[in-house]
Amino acid sequence: MASIVLNNLYAHLLARSSTSSLNQCHDIPTLAVAYILQRTSQPLLALMDQWVGLAEASAADEDTNPDAQPWSNLGITRHGSTPPGSGKKQRWEYTFSASKMPNFVPKSDRHTLFEAGRSLRLLRDASDSQHPLCHGDWGVHGQWGWGEEHE
Amino acid sequence: MASGVGVKSTSESSPRLDGHLHFTNRGSRENDSLRSHARRVGRETEHWRRSTRSLPRSLHSTSSFPQLRQPRKTRKQLPSQFRETRHDLNVDTAFVGQAEAGDAIPTSDTATSVTEDKVDPPDPLWSMMNQQPGAHFATAQTSLWTPAPRAEFGSFVEYHQQPGCRLLRDDAPTLPQHISSHLLAPLLAHSDLVSTALVTHYLDELNLLDHLDVLRAFWLGGDVVFLERVNAALFGKDSAGAGEALGLGKRARTRARLGLGNDDVDNDRLGADEKREWGIGLGIGLSERAKWPPGGAELTYALRSAMVDDNDDDGLRLQNSDVWHGIEDKVSYAIKDLPEDRRDGRRAKWLNPKGELMFVGVLYGHIADMNSHRVSTACMPC
């Protein structure tokens, strides 16, 4: 549902910014759509930061509930590869559905982001979570960053 | 003006609006921030790698992640009643009448007798306790209230409707370009760092290439000397293989190797329907067995001797790598369990001395280090 809303907002903003003149880009409807897109995409961007390792994601990764899908909004599903009751640490296998990611993320970057998250979790297993990249927060986040300085 | 006209500071009641506090040349500034981020990651990684190489695994710690360190032992604070008692004993007359942190529990008398301290400023915690209920809200640095979304939206529109202010920047005139170059740039840059770090970790810390060299040497015939020794142990070659009966002449060994068991003492004792035909080309030690597949110490010794060679001058063994140290203990042989199968299935092939030596496998026992990294041991038949 979240991706549907974001897709619609992005489509509207893309249409307005592509077809309007410079003056029309400053009209209130365009700015309103940009503002709403910015606000509604913040949870998704925060989730994306957690997936690639820019923010702490221990709550999602340590959730051992086999039915929990903390990354579903990114189109990422996980399933456990360790048999339950074996006493071993649960390992997850991740599958990605690129079509479920919001449209404003370019298709060429979707798999890159997905593989980065998988690589991060593999690095976490390989280094026993000791590698510096296994720990967030790095103080760098994805932001829309509209506009320029007023001259 | 560094912060730009129309920019709201963070100290105001309204929260910082995304995009409003960024300066001109944001593109170059963003690049600088990404480069500094990459440098920081590189420094942290290099520091961690140095610490892992110099310290035991149990003592790993980095300066940037104090939560990984052992917590510093802190002395427990004395209970308040004991602190009050001690402080009362050591009270200085200059502090009389003031509500301090270490002073006695504030009473109505002391609470109303707060005076300006010319020597030391009053403790802010206890000063707050002496105020009227709700009075601390006026001095709070952070507001408990957030502005209404409408107010935030209004300031967003007001800012972007100013002359010269555009929604999209000059370096990204279209929305997809803006998303790629500004919104997703930190994510993609960090993704590259993660991928690079993973590859580097496997190649450097886990010595993946050395493991591949081991597999190539013992499974793919990369170690020619080892291959020759295995052949000699299993098939005898020119000299008697390990376990071969001593005293047999060359002709007798050749006949036995070819499966011509007329001189086989065991076969002489058996009836016509019980005479076994041993594999052709096998070493004498493996041919003179009462059962197939052969097992026991003879076979183990034969194969083990192929692995261990004190006079080995092969360059592979001289590699100064943790993987190659004690390789004789990591690479071993395993007798696989006979599968339950049909008469003409794989089990039947195993039971046929003239068939393949499928019951023996070479096992790479580097489980302790690599198991957590999802590298399964390779067990391949000879």
Side-chain angles (χ1 to χ4, degrees):
Chain A
M1 180 61 69
S3 62
I4 295 176
V5 173
L6 292 175
N7 292 343
N8 286 333
L9 290 171
Y10 174 71
H12 279 285
L13 184 60
L14 180 63
R16 285 184 166 274
S17 62
S18 302
T19 58
S20 58
S21 63
L22 286 177
N23 291 331
Q24 290 174 329
C25 279
H26 296 165
D27 60 351
I28 294 181
T30 303
L31 294 176
V33 175
Y35 176 78
I36 296 173
L37 176 62
Q38 172 185 306
R39 291 300 299 265
T40 54
S41 63
Q42 281 181 352
L44 182 105
L45 293 177
L47 191 65
M48 210 173 289
D49 287 341
Q50 293 179 17
W51 173 250
V52 301
L54 283 176
E56 191 67 42
S58 57
D61 288 328
E62 294 175 0
D63 185 2
T64 57
N65 183 7
D67 297 329
Q69 295 293 338
W71 315 106
S72 58
N73 287 337
L74 299 177
I76 300 172
T77 55
R78 68 175 190 180
H79 55 274
S81 59
T82 304
S86 62
K88 298 180 181 179
K89 181 183 177 182
Q90 179 65 263
R91 285 206 174 100
W92 301 100
E93 297 289 338
Y94 297 94
T95 55
F96 178 57
S97 176
S99 60
K100 294 184 180 179
M101 194 168 271
N103 290 342
F104 64 81
V105 180
K107 292 182 179 179
S108 58
D109 297 334
R110 295 178 188 179
H111 279 278
T112 302
L113 296 173
F114 168 67
E115 293 297 336
R118 280 210 322 177
S119 301
L120 176 66
R121 276 137 191 93
L122 183 57
L123 179 64
R124 188 174 294 162
D125 286 342
S127 65
D128 292 333
S129 302
Q130 297 295 323
H131 197 280
L133 281 174
C134 298
H135 308 277
D137 163 11
W138 292 94
V140 177
H141 303 284
Q143 295 176 346
W144 284 95
W146 302 115
E148 295 176 335
E149 176 184 312
H150 172 60
E151 295 179 352
Chain B
M1 182 174 176
S3 60
V5 175
V7 172
K8 300 186 179 181
S9 65
T10 56
S11 60
E12 296 183 2
S13 59
S14 61
R16 183 173 70 90
L17 297 177
D18 189 17
H20 286 191
L21 293 181
H22 302 296
F23 310 134
T24 52
N25 300 324
R26 163 91 173 158
S28 62
R29 187 166 177 268
E30 276 182 343
N31 292 336
D32 292 340
S33 67
L34 293 180
R35 278 195 288 268
S36 65
H37 170 64
R39 283 195 295 269
R40 179 188 171 192
V41 170
R43 284 197 303 269
E44 295 289 342
T45 303
E46 188 58 33
H47 178 83
W48 172 76
R49 292 176 65 184
R50 282 200 298 267
S51 65
T52 53
R53 289 170 184 171
S54 60
L55 296 176
R57 184 171 289 272
S58 60
L59 297 179
H60 285 176
S61 65
T62 62
S63 59
S64 300
F65 300 100
Q67 62 269 22
L68 297 178
R69 295 179 181 168
Q70 295 293 337
R72 183 186 301 177
K73 293 184 178 180
T74 57
R75 184 170 298 178
K76 288 185 178 180
Q77 293 289 335
L78 289 174
S80 58
Q81 56 271 25
F82 295 117
R83 280 191 285 114
E84 291 162 8
T85 303
R86 289 181 58 189
H87 196 85
D88 287 341
L89 294 176
N90 298 326
V91 66
D92 189 355
T93 54
F95 294 95
V96 172
Q98 298 182 5
E100 299 290 338
D103 285 344
I105 298 175
T107 62
S108 58
D109 295 336
T110 57
T112 56
S113 62
V114 174
T115 59
E116 291 293 332
D117 183 17
K118 298 180 180 179
V119 180
D120 289 326
D123 192 298
L125 176 63
W126 289 105
S127 299
M128 187 183 299
M129 295 295 180
N130 293 326
Q131 296 176 7
Q132 294 297 325
H136 64 284
F137 285 110
T139 59
Q141 296 181 356
T142 57
S143 172
L144 295 179
W145 305 103
T146 57
R150 190 174 179 179
E152 196 174 308
F153 171 69
S155 59
F156 178 87
V157 172
E158 179 184 352
Y159 175 77
H160 286 287
Q161 282 190 327
Q162 294 172 353
C165 185
R166 306 174 189 173
L167 194 63
L168 301 175
R169 306 176 189 179
D170 291 337
D171 60 344
T174 65
L175 187 58
Q177 287 179 334
H178 177 87
I179 290 174
S180 296
S181 60
H182 297 284
L183 176 64
L184 299 181
L187 296 167
L188 296 175
H190 194 77
S191 299
D192 290 340
L193 296 176
V194 170
S195 300
T196 304
L198 177 67
V199 174
T200 305
H201 183 74
Y202 266 87
L203 293 180
D204 293 345
E205 271 72 32
L206 299 182
N207 300 316
L208 178 63
L209 295 181
D210 291 339
H211 288 290
L212 295 179
D213 287 339
V214 169
L215 296 178
R216 176 180 173 273
F218 295 102
W219 276 265
L220 300 180
D223 190 345
V224 178
V225 177
F226 168 73
L227 204 61
E228 291 179 352
R229 288 201 296 267
V230 171
N231 282 332
L234 292 177
F235 304 110
K237 290 189 69 175
D238 296 334
S239 59
E244 272 189 329
L246 298 178
L248 291 178
K250 183 177 180 180
R251 185 180 178 184
R253 289 200 300 270
T254 303
R255 290 174 64 83
R257 194 173 298 121
L258 294 177
L260 303 176
N262 292 334
D263 297 335
D264 194 338
V265 177
D266 291 335
N267 269 337
D268 290 340
R269 298 199 196 110
L270 301 174
D273 57 343
E274 292 179 340
K275 287 188 176 180
R276 294 174 291 274
E277 294 184 358
W278 300 113
I280 298 176
L282 290 176
I284 297 301
L286 299 180
S287 296
E288 295 182 343
R289 293 290 161 221
K291 64 175 183 177
W292 186 265
E298 293 285 350
L299 177 63
T300 302
Y301 176 77
L303 296 177
R304 180 69 178 172
S305 62
M307 177 62 64
V308 180
D309 189 347
D310 295 336
N311 298 324
D312 181 24
D313 293 334
D314 191 277
L316 292 175
R317 307 301 179 91
L318 297 179
Q319 293 187 15
N320 186 20
S321 171
D322 294 338
V323 175
W324 285 98
H325 288 322
I327 193 64
E328 297 82 7
D329 298 327
K330 299 172 185 175
V331 181
S332 59
Y333 300 92
I335 305 297
K336 296 190 285 186
D337 295 331
L338 283 174
E340 297 298 330
D341 206 347
R342 303 172 302 177
R343 289 177 59 88
D344 56 345
R346 196 167 52 160
R347 181 184 177 92
K349 293 181 180 179
W350 282 20
L351 296 177
N352 182 12
K354 297 182 180 179
E356 303 171 3
L357 297 176
M358 299 179 63
F359 60 92
V360 178
V362 184
L363 189 66
Y364 186 33
H366 215 55
I367 300 177
D369 295 340
M370 300 297 288
N371 190 32
S372 62
H373 313 310
R374 308 178 186 180
V375 176
S376 58
T377 57
C379 185
M380 297 177 59
C382 290

